[in-house]
């Protein structure tokens, strides 16, 4: 390692000797909290590492090799560079107390930024950039930001190691937390408005496609959303919002913008009616679309740096081609061609500034950094207006067709009315049949739970407030052995015979008998004046059940029953509560040995 450093120093004597003294005389950045944001570019010195092998110790030992920024380096835009760049930044705190500062980079699309803060007694190492999940950054943000903690009056040296497949744009500054939050909130608000507009435009045109089935609306939707996805990765929004604990693919930006360029060409062919108005341009743009589709695939096969270069070339050439086609279409009086040209002119300005800045020929500032967003936002709005104009024209054509349909519909109206009336009658009859089926137990033909509920609801509507009602819950004793010994067919036959006998036992009374399911039946009695009438009717039911039988293999099989009874007034109780009380009373019979009648304890003293 020592030999390598000596060779580096000897090799740089002639070339960098003139900068050594200047580098040593660099004035540290003085950090005054009252300033909020402090530029650092004048105090930066640079060391290139073509081998990517230098460590922090190597760099600190080779301090004489650092030289002040010169020429294009002063713009901090190094373009596509394969070297690892080391920047040295001396800092001096003017605060009388401990102060926290933030070293923030203006450009979000950086692969690997490592910051080393060298204090007198310790060092701090931090990392950020697309090569690392945002969740692992020292400060989770849209772009690389590093905290620097300084004691009162402390001097520290910050070493920055920068490496990127994308254009290496290293504009940076020192900011207090409050100043950083204020500045970043403004940018985030702008980006939120920008991406919100893209989403709204995409969804709006998607709805138009669903409504009109015109392919240009779908192509435009795909163009807007693809462009937005690529832009969100370039601005650090996607990495911050989608997944903070995974590394996003470096090909999202080049492939996304290349695909957007391909979709833009396909959209222009349909929007400008080139097939009918300019067949030659239609074929030319078709060839470009195929070429651009291949270019999109190529961006996945080459290095990220080459992919970004392909993307930049495609972006500029696409805008120029579409502008040319739009100008020719304007001369042919193609509707909305003027809006199309103006829109793509704005996008050309924005993308051109971005592409030229990526090469290092333009400095990085708000206009060049966000020029693509300004241009693309305006371009997409204008194209959306143009599409809306086409939508209006299509709507007029649709209304004309609808008027033709109205005449046909009028002729069919009477026939439809007859069909509807006939169908209504059929549905009412089917509804009546269905209600019968729904309210009847399939096995016994007695009302089921639904039928009992309907009967009770009708009774409550018509009943006097003090009209009594009695509920008997009947549970068959010894029914399970019938199924076990003679089979379920015998059990079903027995249930049907029991239902027949029960109906006979209640003939002429005001009430209804239904089956809850299994071997349980419910009787609702309403036409009685004395409680004894109900208990007498319960005894009749016990005898009716005992009389029911089924014969199997010469054996006559019958069962007994346990009956729980409860009373109430129809206007004050629910069927569910009555059945529950009757169920409790029935279990009193079961506990005393089965087969019998028991009146609910709550009704023992009830006077009717």
């Amino acid at each position: 390692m020592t030999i390598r450093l000596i060779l580096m120093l000897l090799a740089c004597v002639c070339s960098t000797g003139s900068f050594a003294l200047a580098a040593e005389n660099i004035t540290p950045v003085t950090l005054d909290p009252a300033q909020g944001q402090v530029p650092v570019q004048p105090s930066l010195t640079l060391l290139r590492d073509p081998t990517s092998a230098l460590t922090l110790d190597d760099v600190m030992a080779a301090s004489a090799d650092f030289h002040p920024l010169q020429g294009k380096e002063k713009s901090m835009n190094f373009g596509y560079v394969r070297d690892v760049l080391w920047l040295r930044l001396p800092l001096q705190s003017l605060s009388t107390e401990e102060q926290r500062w933030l070293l923030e980079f203006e450009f979000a699309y950086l692969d690997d930024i490592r910051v080393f803060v060298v204090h007198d007694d310790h060092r701090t190492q931090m990392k950020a950039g697309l090569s690392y999940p945002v969740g692992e950054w020292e400060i989770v943000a849209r772009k690389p930001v590093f905290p620097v903690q300084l004691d009162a009056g402390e001097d520290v040296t910050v070493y920055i190691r920068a490496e990127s497949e994308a254009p290496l744009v290293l504009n940076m500054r020192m900011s207090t937390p409050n100043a950083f939050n204020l500045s970043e909130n403004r940018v985030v608000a702008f980006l939120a408005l920008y991406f919100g507009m893209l989403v709204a435009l995409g969804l709006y045109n998607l709805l138009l496609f669903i409504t009109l089935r015109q392919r240009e609306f779908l192509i435009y939707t795909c163009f807007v959303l693809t462009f937005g996805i690529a832009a969100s990765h370039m601005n650090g929004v996607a990495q911050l919002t989608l997944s903070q604990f995974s590394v996003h693919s470096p090909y999202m930006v080049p492939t996304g913008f290349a695909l957007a360029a391909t979709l833009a060409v396909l959209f222009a062919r349909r929007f400008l009616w080139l097939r009918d108005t300019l067949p030659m341009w239609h074929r030319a743009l078709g060839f470009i679309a195929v070429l651009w589709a291949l270019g999109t695939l190529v961006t996945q096969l080459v290095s990220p740096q080459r992919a970004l270069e392909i993307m930049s070339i495609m972006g500029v050439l696409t805008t120029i081609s579409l502008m040319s086609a739009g100008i020719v279409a304007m001369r042919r009086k193609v509707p909305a061609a003027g809006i199309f040209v103006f829109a793509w002119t704005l996008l050309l300005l924005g993308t051109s500034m971005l592409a030229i800045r990526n090469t290092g020929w333009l400095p990085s500032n708000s206009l060049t950094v966000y020029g693509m967003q300004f241009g693309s936002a305006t371009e997409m709005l204008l194209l959306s207006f143009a599409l809306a104009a086409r939508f209006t024209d299509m709507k007029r054509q649709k209304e004309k067709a609808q008027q033709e349909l109205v005449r046909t519909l009028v002729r069919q109206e009477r026939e439809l009315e007859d069909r509807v009336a006939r169908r209504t009658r059929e549905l009412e009859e089917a509804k009546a049949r269905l209600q019968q089926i729904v309210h009847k137990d399939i096995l016994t033909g007695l009302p089921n739970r639904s039928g009992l509920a309907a009967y009770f609801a009708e009774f409550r509507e018509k009943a006097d407030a003090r009209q009594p009602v009695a509920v008997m819950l009947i549970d068959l004793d010894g029914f399970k052995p019938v199924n076990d010994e003679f089979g379920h067919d015998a059990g079903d036959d027995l249930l049907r015979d029991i239902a027949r006998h029960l109906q006979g036992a209640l003939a002429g009374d005001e009430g209804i008998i239904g089956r809850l399911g299994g071997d349980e039946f419910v009787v609702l009695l309403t036409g009685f004046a004395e409680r004894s009438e109900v208990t007498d009717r319960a005894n009749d039911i016990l005898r009716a059940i005992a009389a029911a039988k089924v014969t199997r293999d010469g054996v006559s099989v019958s069962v007994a029953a346990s009956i729980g009874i409860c009373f109430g007034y129809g206007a004050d109780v629910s069927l569910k509560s009555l059945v529950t009380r009757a169920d409790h009373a029935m279990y009193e019979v079961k506990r005393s040995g089965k087969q019998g009648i028991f009146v609910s304890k709550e009704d023992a003293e009830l006077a009717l």
Side-chain angles (χ1 to χ4, degrees):
M1 181 66 70
T2 303
I3 296 175
R4 183 175 66 185
L5 292 175
I6 293 174
L7 292 175
M8 289 178 60
L9 291 172
L10 291 175
C12 296
V13 168
C14 295
S15 58
T16 62
S18 59
F19 300 112
L21 184 57
E24 292 175 358
N25 293 330
I26 288 292
T27 303
V29 176
T30 55
L31 300 178
D32 184 356
Q35 291 181 271
Q37 292 182 330
V38 181
V40 300
Q41 185 266 343
S43 299
L44 288 170
T45 52
L46 174 68
L47 173 65
R48 292 178 180 267
D49 177 15
T51 63
S52 306
L54 295 181
T55 64
L56 176 62
D57 291 332
D58 297 336
V59 171
M60 293 178 64
S63 60
D65 293 337
F66 280 86
H67 66 79
L69 302 180
Q70 53 185 330
K72 287 200 309 179
E73 294 174 348
K74 292 182 179 180
S75 70
M76 300 303 294
N77 187 346
F78 298 90
Y80 294 101
V81 59
R82 295 186 179 275
D83 297 347
V84 172
L85 301 185
W86 285 85
L87 293 165
R88 184 173 61 183
L89 174 63
L91 301 175
Q92 181 181 31
S93 174
L94 298 182
S95 176
T96 57
E97 56 186 16
E98 185 180 15
Q99 182 71 31
R100 177 184 173 91
W101 287 83
L102 299 178
L103 174 62
E104 60 168 308
F105 289 77
E106 295 181 13
F107 192 41
Y109 199 62
L110 297 169
D111 287 347
D112 189 352
I113 303 295
R114 304 178 201 176
V115 170
F116 306 86
V117 183
V118 179
H119 299 263
D120 291 337
D121 55 350
H122 68 281
R123 302 175 183 178
T124 303
Q125 179 178 343
M126 297 168 283
K127 61 185 179 181
L130 302 179
S131 299
Y132 311 103
V134 175
E136 296 180 4
W137 295 10
E138 196 72 20
I139 294 179
V140 176
R142 182 184 58 85
K143 59 185 181 181
V145 182
F146 302 92
V148 179
Q149 198 77 20
L150 295 174
D151 293 333
E154 183 183 13
D155 294 343
V156 301
T157 302
V158 177
Y159 290 90
I160 302 159
R161 183 187 185 277
E163 182 179 9
S164 184
E165 295 280 356
L168 201 53
V169 182
L170 299 178
N171 298 78
M172 65 187 86
R173 61 191 174 194
M174 298 295 298
S175 303
T176 62
N178 288 339
F180 168 77
N181 291 333
L182 180 61
S183 173
E184 185 65 7
N185 287 343
R186 290 172 182 159
V187 175
V188 169
F190 165 73
L191 292 177
L193 179 63
Y194 171 73
F195 289 113
M197 186 198 70
L198 294 191
V199 172
L201 287 177
L203 295 179
Y204 169 70
N205 285 279
L206 180 61
L207 290 175
L208 289 180
F209 166 73
I210 294 173
T211 303
L212 302 176
R213 298 296 178 182
Q214 296 293 320
R215 195 177 303 170
E216 51 264 40
F217 292 100
L218 178 61
I219 296 174
Y220 183 75
T221 298
C222 294
F223 164 70
V224 170
L225 296 182
T226 304
F227 195 98
I229 291 172
S232 68
H233 280 81
M234 189 179 73
N235 289 292
V237 174
Q239 295 88 324
L240 187 62
T241 56
L242 297 181
S243 175
Q244 296 185 7
F245 297 98
S246 61
V247 177
H248 291 247
S249 170
Y251 293 98
M252 291 298 296
V253 170
T255 303
F257 281 129
L259 180 57
T262 306
L263 293 168
V265 173
L266 295 174
F267 170 76
R269 295 173 78 214
R270 296 185 63 87
F271 180 83
L272 295 174
W273 306 95
L274 295 183
R275 182 187 297 274
D276 301 323
T277 58
L278 298 166
M280 184 180 69
W281 275 97
H282 180 80
R283 290 190 295 270
L285 291 186
F287 173 76
I288 292 175
V290 173
L291 190 61
W292 272 196
L294 294 175
T296 303
L297 294 176
V298 170
T299 59
Q300 289 285 315
L301 304 177
V302 299
S303 66
Q305 179 173 334
R306 293 300 178 204
L308 288 164
E309 292 172 350
I310 292 172
M311 173 207 76
S312 299
I313 294 171
M314 287 176 60
V316 174
L317 292 180
T318 298
T319 309
I320 294 173
S321 300
L322 298 188
M323 279 186 58
S324 302
I327 292 172
V328 176
M330 281 179 60
R331 293 178 178 176
R332 294 290 185 91
K333 308 294 185 184
V334 174
I339 299 178
F340 181 88
V341 171
F342 182 55
W344 283 100
T345 301
L346 295 175
L347 183 60
L348 173 63
L349 293 175
T351 54
S352 296
M353 283 191 295
L354 175 65
I356 296 172
R357 189 213 62 173
N358 289 348
T359 63
W361 297 345
L362 281 178
S364 289
N365 51 45
S366 297
L367 186 59
T368 57
V369 171
Y370 299 109
M372 184 189 69
Q373 280 79 10
F374 286 116
S376 61
T378 310
E379 178 261 353
M380 292 178 186
L381 274 175
L382 290 173
L383 288 182
S384 185
F385 291 151
L387 281 171
R390 288 191 59 177
F391 169 71
T392 302
D393 183 62
M394 292 175 183
K395 184 178 179 182
R396 283 197 299 267
Q397 295 178 5
K398 185 177 181 180
E399 289 174 352
K400 194 180 216 180
Q402 286 176 343
Q403 290 174 357
E404 294 292 332
L405 286 174
V406 166
R407 288 190 286 269
T408 303
L409 292 174
V410 169
R411 291 194 299 267
Q412 296 176 350
E413 184 176 358
R414 292 182 181 178
E415 181 182 351
L416 289 175
E417 288 177 353
D418 293 340
R419 291 180 181 177
V420 168
R422 185 168 61 252
R423 184 58 177 164
T424 301
R425 290 193 299 271
E426 293 173 354
L427 289 175
E428 289 175 352
E429 293 172 359
K431 180 180 177 181
R433 291 194 298 271
L434 182 61
Q435 285 180 340
Q436 259 190 337
I437 295 173
V438 168
H439 290 168
K440 293 289 184 180
D441 176 55
I442 297 175
L443 178 64
T444 63
L446 296 176
N448 55 16
R449 289 176 183 268
S450 178
L452 290 169
Y455 176 86
F456 189 76
E458 184 178 355
F459 162 72
R460 290 189 64 177
E461 289 180 3
K462 298 178 180 179
D464 182 81
R466 302 301 295 172
Q467 183 172 351
V469 61
V471 172
M472 302 181 194
L473 183 65
I474 305 167
D475 186 82
L476 302 182
D477 298 330
F479 180 75
K480 185 176 182 301
V482 176
N483 281 335
D484 295 341
E485 185 175 352
F486 299 100
H488 288 281
D489 289 342
D492 291 345
D493 289 342
L494 181 58
L495 287 174
R496 280 191 283 266
D497 198 45
I498 289 172
R500 182 172 59 82
H501 279 77
L502 287 175
Q503 288 174 317
L506 289 178
D509 289 330
E510 292 186 23
I512 186 174
I513 181 166
R515 182 187 177 208
L516 287 184
D519 58 352
E520 287 189 336
F521 296 84
V522 171
V523 175
L524 272 69
L525 287 179
T526 57
F528 61 91
E530 299 291 339
R531 188 172 65 177
S532 60
E533 296 179 33
V534 177
T535 55
D536 290 343
R537 186 62 59 224
N539 286 313
D540 292 341
I541 290 173
L542 286 177
R543 288 190 290 272
I545 292 173
K549 61 183 66 177
V550 64
T551 302
R552 287 291 187 276
D553 300 329
V555 178
S556 180
V557 180
S558 62
V559 294
S562 299
I563 301 178
I565 304 174
C566 73
F567 295 89
Y569 296 102
D572 299 333
V573 295
S574 67
L575 179 61
K576 181 179 179 181
S577 64
L578 290 172
V579 171
T580 301
R581 287 165 51 199
D583 183 63
H584 293 162
M586 181 272 294
Y587 271 101
E588 292 296 329
V589 181
K590 295 286 188 181
R591 291 190 188 96
S592 61
K594 299 183 180 182
Q595 189 175 357
I597 301 170
F598 189 87
V599 178
S600 172
K601 292 181 179 179
E602 300 176 25
D603 303 327
E605 302 300 328
L606 182 67
L608 297 175

